[in-house]
Amino acid sequence: MSAGAEVAGALARLREAGAELRARAPAQVHAALADVLDAWRAPGSPWQAELVERLPACTGFSPETVRRGLALGLAPLGGEALHALVRSELGGTEALDPRAAASWQGFATTAVVLAGAIPLPTVTAMIAPLVLRSPVLVKLPAHDPVTAPLLARALAERMPELGACIAIADFRRDDPAALDALCRAECVVATGSDAAIAALAARVAPARRFVGHGHRVSLAVIGEAATRGAALLRAARGVALDTALWDQLGCLSPIAVFVLGDLRAAERFAEALAGALTALEHRMPRGRIEPAAAAAITRERAEAELRAAAGEPVALRTGSGTAWTVVCEAGARLRPAPLHRFVRVQAVTPPELGGVLRGAPLAGLATCAVPHGLLLDGEASRRCAPGRLQTPPLAWPRGGLGVLTSLARRATIESDA
């Protein structure tokens, strides 16, 4: 059977299974989802242990990175957070009753196209449609074939109806028949490059819902008050953790640090950040990287050295091999980001930063002593203290969109009175 036929068959089965799930009260479904989230986030969780055992081989992350990333990232994704999300976005479980005067309804099926190697977005992407009692078809990401099937197993063990409402699809992204079949889901949610998102959106019929999450970057912004003493060390450790978690491969990984002040302030922060990355390298070593990624790091290091030799105010700090890199320089210009723990620390003035934020697509900002109101011109949907960027709450409105409402339809019933 072709991949396209398999996907079409899976969607047909999900539509049948969805009817049984919707026969369950929303509160029952939410209780089961909450139980699974609590089981996954619990210290000593066997689900986390299995991920730590299996993910390093396929993702390249070190076991220490997976262990710490899961512990920190799953902590805000508990059952109570799920109930709070339902209350805040939908107004409560009663809003899922189609007989209510104003209700939210999930789609008959939701297809989720995943990307990257970080496991945490998979959890939110699968749970959100199920909260709306919408069966979910999951297109596996190329580098993580583990998390989605494991979560499906956990959900099936807790509530078989939930397990029947999950189908896993694993096909090449350039398989047009399979993509067309997937895009016949009533709602399609996709993460990927801007080109991939645009190509997929073109396959979705206008009557269907499409939610795309394209390429975004994150920056850390450090106020001058956090460039000295204990505040400096605290901020540097936080930014180092934000950078090192998941080896800087997510959209919530800062690729640069804008220090509001002169070059001496940026130098102090770069020095502290280098020390913090060195400490993390011992406790949470970076995973393996492809030769092309190592070559990109080497190329950007050489470019920084050449600019320094030409008299530009550029300073380079490095770890062993290509383990981490900190480039300190002036100006708010965004330069290439090789990732894998490569950070630029840039001295900028508030007017320069304001100009960048107005035109830059930002998915996250770590803030510290930033002048009040400066970030309001930006597009960042997540602003938090350094060290917390990689642990968004379940209710984080990624791209400014509601976690649940972006996947649901609103309906009202008008009285004849």
Side-chain angles (χ1 to χ4, degrees), residues 189-411:
V189 185
T191 300
S193 67
D194 291 342
I197 294 300
L200 200 59
R203 294 178 180 275
V204 179
R208 301 177 188 276
R209 177 75 57 85
F210 180 75
V211 181
H213 297 289
H215 176 66
R216 295 292 184 274
V217 298
S218 291
L219 304 175
V221 180
I222 301 299
E224 198 162 1
T227 62
R228 298 179 185 279
L232 165 63
L233 294 178
R234 187 165 55 249
R237 289 170 185 154
V239 172
L241 181 61
D242 289 333
T243 303
L245 278 175
W246 309 117
D247 293 348
Q248 207 184 9
L249 295 181
C251 66
L252 289 177
S253 300
I255 62 169
V257 181
F258 284 0
V259 176
L260 307 186
D262 59 22
L263 193 57
R264 290 173 297 179
E267 280 286 353
R268 291 194 296 274
F269 194 85
E271 182 68 25
L273 179 59
L277 286 170
T278 298
L280 279 176
E281 175 64 13
H282 293 300
R283 299 198 304 272
M284 194 172 68
R286 192 194 64 189
R288 68 175 184 271
I289 65 174
E290 298 295 327
I297 293 172
T298 301
R299 184 170 58 250
E300 289 303 319
R301 285 181 175 182
E303 192 269 351
E305 290 174 336
L306 282 174
R307 288 194 289 136
E312 291 187 36
V314 179
L316 179 68
R317 294 171 175 81
T318 63
S320 60
T322 59
W324 58 262
T325 305
V326 176
V327 178
C328 185
E329 57 193 290
R333 175 187 174 190
L334 287 175
R335 292 182 177 277
L339 307 181
H340 303 282
R341 306 190 184 185
F342 187 112
V343 191
R344 299 182 190 278
V345 177
Q346 300 172 234
V348 300
T349 60
E352 284 180 298
L353 182 57
V356 169
L357 286 176
R358 279 193 294 272
L362 304 173
L365 284 172
T367 65
C368 182
V370 176
H372 179 69
L374 186 61
L375 297 181
L376 297 183
D377 290 336
E379 301 176 5
S381 59
R382 176 157 169 73
R383 304 166 190 172
C384 63
R388 298 178 58 187
L389 193 59
Q390 298 274 16
T391 58
L394 190 61
W396 170 43
R398 184 183 181 188
L401 301 176
V403 177
L404 302 176
T405 55
S406 64
L407 311 181
R409 296 162 297 180
R410 182 74 161 160

